[in-house]
Amino acid sequence: MASHELAESPLKADPPTLPAPVLESLLAGRLADPFGVLGPHRDEHGVLIRALLPGANAAFLTDADGNSIVEMTRLHDAGVFAGRLPGFGKSPPVPRDYRLRIRWPDGGEQVTADPYAFGLLLGELDLHLINEGRHLELGSCLGAQCMTVEGEVGVRFAVWAPNAQRVSVIADFNGWNPTRHPMRVRHGSGVWELFIPSALGAGPGSRYKFDLIGADGSALPDKADPLALATEAPPATASVVACAGHSAPPFGWNDDEWMRQRAAANPYAAPMSVYELHVTSWQRAANDPERGWEILADRLVPYVRDLGFTHIELLPVTEHPFGGSWGYQPLSLFAPTARLGRPEQFAAFVDRCHQAGIGVMLDWVPAHFPTDPHGLARFDGTALYEHEDPREGFHQDWNTLIYNLGRNEVRGFLLAGALHWLERFHIDALRVDAVASMLYRDYSREAGEWVPNRYGGRENLEAVAFLRELNTVVHERCPGALTIAEESTAWPGVTASVESGGLGFNFKWNMGWMHDTLKYMAHAPIHRPWHHSNMTFGMVYAWSEAFMLPLSHDEVVHGKGSMIGRMPGDDWQRLANLRAYYAFMWTHPGKKLLFMGGEFAQWREWNHDDELDWALLDQPAHRGVHSLIRDLNGLYRALPALHAMDHHPEGFQWVVGDDHQNSVFAYLRSAGRGSREVVLVVVNMTPVPRPDYRLGVPFPGVWEECLNSDAAYYGGSNLGNGGRVEAGDTPSHGQPASLTLTLPPLATLILRYAG
């Protein structure tokens, strides 16, 4: 039949109207089963097609080539049309290869496949795994997935909302009209789905949300997609179709060698020094939603590489509505923040880091989420992702909601979210935030404000099970990827294996070491003899976990001041204290983490709305601290004694740990029992030089002074030992040999046995 040659509408033979309650429900956007009314339906007269096209002037049925078959009859002025396909009798199958030609008031036309002509989209196995919490590739299942269905290109939308009465896709391509694209519910699973052909405008870059009618029949706030792969840049809140799933990477990776080496490495015996940063306040020039990640790669990667850090750690880049949360209140756990560009640009940033030999860690937040109405809160009108009882489901400290980890679908959502970053974006480690708040049901709660577990205890058994499953799955599926716990209590076995009853993390932040040593450093040197144990106590429990020593963002906010600002004395003494402390940290057992700005002794407390005070690098004293960090990283990486036995007692030995009066600490680091790769570290935490200070060492011979934090190059007084010292056979401190040193004021010395 030629184009525009129309057949007479066959609807005159049978009633064209819908039952009034059905029509009313359809037009009100409250029809729970749109596929029961819209699309093709066989009856005693053949095949009837109904379409809901609000605002359309006219609609036609065409063949697959766009040739008109019949003009559809308008059943209602609101845009309900119906037409019957000629040539189909009473027998199956129902045809799906027809098209709708829609004529709009502006004269424009669309020819498209009918979204309501497609059959079931998600497979039964997918739905089963979702409900079991074992679908670990949700990022390529739910949400908005670009795909071809029965030869048609378009976007499959799917969302879990088991208690909703109706869910619709609202988007820029349908005028944000909730009556235009109601979805089909898959009974038993609570998943709603709809395929929208690209001819209707659905495709990469489309902005969308979900419109829901809640369980009680009330209209809910428009909801962003929990599985969105991309979002609008805040303060806008829509999700964005991003067509790059697991089967189609966002771009071609160039880090095969990095990933191979990572999988084969032993992270416990390797150096690991981490530069932690908040991406939007490191340099404000990177705050470009078109090419922010590219700018950051151009500037950050060479900077971190020059300083010798092995990794960067990004404060959460999962999309978050409130910038003042620093990312710790995320709503889109599958989408990199749009503040710096598109997901594929973030992937390219990670690739650039890997090519430069720099690992990428992400802060990841499975503990809680914000209450923003467009987010997860009461997503389908019920406490779906959170607990109903506020004693379990509300974080009093942060005014956020707590994930219900006892629900399979929620647990699976978080597990898939973690794997999404590790597998799709090649992230090397997840630092899991606020683990302590997850482990204890009475975290920051008074008596009567929390619900005991089934045994009457305070432990959150569901969170324990989730964390164990998380670590098991990550280590099985992502060779060489690490998990790191921010856990501030004495919970046993955080880094012990799951098989042995532990939580299974690779590393734990050593919050006790951080608090104790910073408390010590804040005291004036005259008072330090009475607080000597603050510097030594960490060695009492150093081997109980695999630790990372953090000087993180939390220590330079909320009135705590900067690292340099926490040191006592005049400016010279403050800088000397900081240099000595950094050298102590870099030689202490445990991996290292330093927040941005600390590497050049920024005076000002960190402000997430401002960039770092880069002009300080023009001042010699601050440039000296910067150079010290570079040299500490270089030594740390070059000397096996400083990293190979980080988590074994054989790698550490006190020489002097009890010189309270002089505030001197001395210890040996070695690459293992019997190894001649040995380093002597001596720390003088007073402004008084100490000549002729004798220390025992395991070997006579030459000891090379590798680093002196009092060197003039770093801004110090340049008092030292001329670069080398000869140890004699005189025993001391339980060692068979000894040497005599001049200890510079407020300084740390690092000496390596040279034979």
Side-chain angles (χ1 to χ4, degrees):
M1 186 177 293
S3 179
H4 306 300
E5 183 181 347
L6 303 180
E8 181 180 4
S9 174
L11 286 173
K12 296 175 181 177
D14 53 296
T17 58
L18 287 165
V22 175
L23 182 61
E24 180 182 348
S25 181
L26 177 67
L27 296 177
R30 292 178 172 272
L31 188 65
D33 181 20
F35 280 79
V37 173
L38 302 177
H41 295 273
R42 183 173 293 282
D43 61 17
E44 66 272 18
H45 299 291
V47 176
L48 177 69
I49 312 293
R50 294 192 192 95
L52 178 59
L53 307 170
N57 273 6
F60 306 86
L61 297 176
T62 80
D63 61 21
D65 298 322
N67 300 314
S68 294
I69 299 173
V70 67
E71 181 175 2
M72 303 180 77
T73 297
R74 182 186 292 272
L75 300 185
H76 194 280
D77 289 342
V80 182
F81 294 85
R84 193 175 294 284
L85 289 176
F88 289 90
K90 299 180 180 180
S91 301
V94 174
R96 294 177 181 170
D97 60 350
Y98 66 90
R99 299 289 185 272
L100 300 175
R101 181 158 60 89
I102 310 165
R103 184 174 296 163
W104 300 103
D106 61 2
E109 288 191 350
Q110 285 177 310
V111 177
T112 177
D114 184 355
Y116 298 93
F118 294 93
L120 302 180
L121 301 172
L122 290 172
E124 291 298 329
L125 180 59
D126 282 322
L127 300 176
H128 173 75
L129 292 174
I130 290 170
N131 292 148
E132 289 288 314
R134 294 188 293 116
H135 200 308
L136 299 180
E137 295 183 359
L138 283 182
S140 59
C141 177
L142 297 181
Q145 304 294 330
C146 295
M147 60 177 52
T148 300
V149 176
E150 298 179 13
E152 293 292 333
V153 176
V155 181
R156 184 188 70 196
F157 294 90
V159 63
W160 178 61
N163 302 302
Q165 289 188 11
R166 191 269 295 147
V167 181
S168 290
V169 178
I170 54 174
D172 49 15
F173 55 76
N174 63 18
W176 304 96
N177 186 338
T179 68
R180 182 70 178 86
H181 288 122
M183 306 173 78
R184 169 201 284 125
V185 66
R186 302 295 298 275
H187 293 288
S189 71
V191 173
W192 298 74
E193 63 180 16
L194 185 68
F195 177 75
I196 301 180
S198 60
L200 291 174
S206 295
R207 297 177 302 130
Y208 72 99
K209 286 185 176 181
F210 296 111
D211 182 274
L212 297 89
I213 301 296
D216 62 356
S218 61
L220 300 177
D222 296 342
K223 295 290 188 177
D225 183 359
L227 273 294
L229 301 180
T231 70
E232 289 186 288
T237 58
S239 304
V240 175
V241 176
C243 292
H246 291 269
S247 61
F251 74 105
W253 288 92
N254 301 288
D255 65 349
D256 289 351
E257 181 60 21
W258 169 271
M259 298 296 283
R260 185 191 65 78
Q261 291 182 0
R262 189 191 79 177
N266 176 4
Y268 302 102
M272 183 183 295
S273 58
V274 182
Y275 184 70
E276 186 193 33
L277 74 148
H278 177 251
V279 291
T280 58
S281 62
W282 186 72
Q283 286 188 1
R284 300 301 290 181
N287 289 353
D288 183 337
E290 297 300 321
R291 52 186 300 268
W293 290 115
E294 180 182 345
I295 294 171
L296 201 64
D298 288 342
R299 299 185 180 195
L300 176 68
V301 170
Y303 180 79
V304 171
R305 185 174 184 177
D306 174 67
L307 281 174
F309 286 97
T310 64
H311 292 75
I312 60 170
E313 181 174 320
L314 307 178
L315 271 61
V317 297
T318 41
E319 191 61 271
H320 48 284
F322 176 45
S325 75
W326 314 330
Y328 288 102
Q329 294 187 13
L331 273 183
S332 297
L333 291 189
F334 290 73
T337 179
R339 292 169 174 88
L340 280 78
R342 301 183 305 279
E344 61 268 25
Q345 293 173 314
F346 173 68
F349 166 77
V350 175
D351 198 49
R352 287 275 295 278
C353 291
H354 286 173
Q355 291 180 65
I358 300 167
V360 181
M361 300 178 171
L362 288 189
D363 281 10
W364 184 66
V365 188
H368 60 131
F369 58 91
T371 59
D372 297 64
H374 71 280
L376 301 179
R378 302 196 74 83
F379 187 81
D380 64 358
T382 68
L384 190 62
Y385 286 88
E386 69 272 34
H387 294 270
E388 182 70 51
D389 189 333
R391 294 176 299 168
E392 296 181 280
F394 185 71
H395 253 308
Q396 301 175 127
D397 292 352
W398 304 315
N399 293 322
T400 53
L401 298 172
I402 301 170
Y403 286 106
N404 182 357
L405 297 174
R407 186 161 195 163
N408 289 342
E409 294 91 344
V410 175
R411 189 182 72 252
F413 168 74
L414 292 171
L415 291 172
L419 291 172
H420 180 76
W421 296 96
L422 298 170
E423 296 182 337
R424 183 181 177 200
F425 291 110
H426 292 198
I427 294 302
D428 300 290
L430 296 176
R431 176 268 200 185
V432 182
D433 182 63
V435 170
S437 76
M438 300 174 69
L439 291 174
Y440 300 96
R441 286 176 164 266
D442 64 344
Y443 181 86
S444 196
R445 296 179 187 271
E446 302 296 333
E449 296 179 344
W450 58 282
V451 179
N453 64 33
R454 61 180 177 270
Y455 302 113
R458 59 196 288 253
E459 299 82 8
N460 190 323
L461 304 179
E462 294 81 10
V464 171
F466 165 75
L467 293 171
R468 287 173 171 166
E469 185 175 8
L470 167 72
N471 289 316
T472 298
V473 168
V474 167
H475 297 144
E476 284 177 352
R477 289 179 59 118
C478 307
L482 307 176
T483 56
I484 302 164
E486 187 215 15
E487 203 286 309
S488 55
T489 75
W491 185 281
V494 172
T495 59
S497 68
V498 172
E499 293 76 14
S500 65
L503 296 182
F505 286 94
N506 295 101
F507 297 102
K508 170 182 171 174
W509 274 19
N510 194 336
M511 312 293 278
W513 175 91
M514 178 269 296
H515 286 301
D516 287 347
T517 58
L518 283 178
K519 184 183 297 184
Y520 176 90
M521 295 304 299
H523 289 293
I526 194 172
H527 299 302
R528 284 176 177 170
W530 286 272
H531 303 278
H532 196 80
S533 62
N534 284 138
M535 294 288 273
T536 61
F537 184 67
M539 295 312 304
V540 172
Y541 58 86
W543 322 118
S544 62
E545 303 278 4
F547 282 119
M548 177 175 284
L549 311 181
L551 295 179
S552 76
H553 62 281
D554 279 328
E555 306 318 308
V556 292
V557 290
H558 301 320
K560 296 177 184 177
S562 63
M563 279 293 121
I564 183 69
R566 298 171 75 148
M567 301 296 133
D570 58 25
D571 286 359
W572 189 94
Q573 289 193 3
R574 284 183 167 188
L575 287 159
N577 269 298
L578 186 64
R579 293 193 304 268
Y581 180 57
Y582 282 162
F584 166 73
M585 171 182 174
W586 253 257
T587 56
H588 192 283
K591 309 309 180 187
K592 329 298 176 190
L593 179 140
L594 181 66
F595 185 61
M596 66 182 196
E599 77 275 17
F600 56 77
Q602 175 165 302
W603 289 105
R604 187 168 52 93
E605 185 175 88
W606 171 54
N607 181 345
H608 68 272
D609 286 327
D610 292 330
E611 71 173 13
L612 298 183
D613 295 334
W614 293 104
L616 289 175
L617 282 173
D618 295 330
Q619 300 180 21
H622 293 271
R623 194 165 61 249
V625 176
H626 190 264
S627 298
L628 175 71
I629 293 296
R630 180 192 295 115
D631 290 351
L632 283 172
N633 275 328
L635 277 179
Y636 176 57
R637 297 175 78 154
L639 301 180
L642 293 180
H643 61 255
M645 300 293 286
D646 251 344
H647 309 292
H648 299 279
E650 293 86 354
F652 178 91
Q653 185 177 5
W654 282 112
V655 177
V656 173
D658 58 355
D659 190 353
H660 301 71
Q661 182 177 356
N662 293 314
S663 297
V664 170
F665 310 84
Y667 46 90
L668 296 165
R669 297 294 310 277
S670 76
R673 189 183 304 274
S675 173
R676 299 183 80 84
E677 289 281 349
V678 178
V679 167
L680 172 68
V681 181
V682 191
V683 186
N684 176 16
M685 282 300 182
T686 68
V688 180
R690 304 203 180 276
D692 301 322
Y693 198 99
R694 181 171 292 277
L695 290 162
V697 289
F699 309 115
V702 175
W703 289 74
E704 176 186 306
E705 193 175 67
C706 301
L707 186 141
N708 176 357
S709 70
D710 189 51
Y713 178 64
Y714 305 133
S717 65
N718 217 34
L719 184 65
N721 297 277
R724 54 181 285 160
V725 178
E726 187 83 21
D729 291 329
T730 303
S732 183
H733 299 102
Q735 299 291 337
S738 62
L739 47 73
T740 301
L741 296 173
T742 294
L743 307 188
L746 293 174
T748 296
L749 300 176
I750 304 175
L751 298 97
R752 179 183 68 88
Y753 177 63

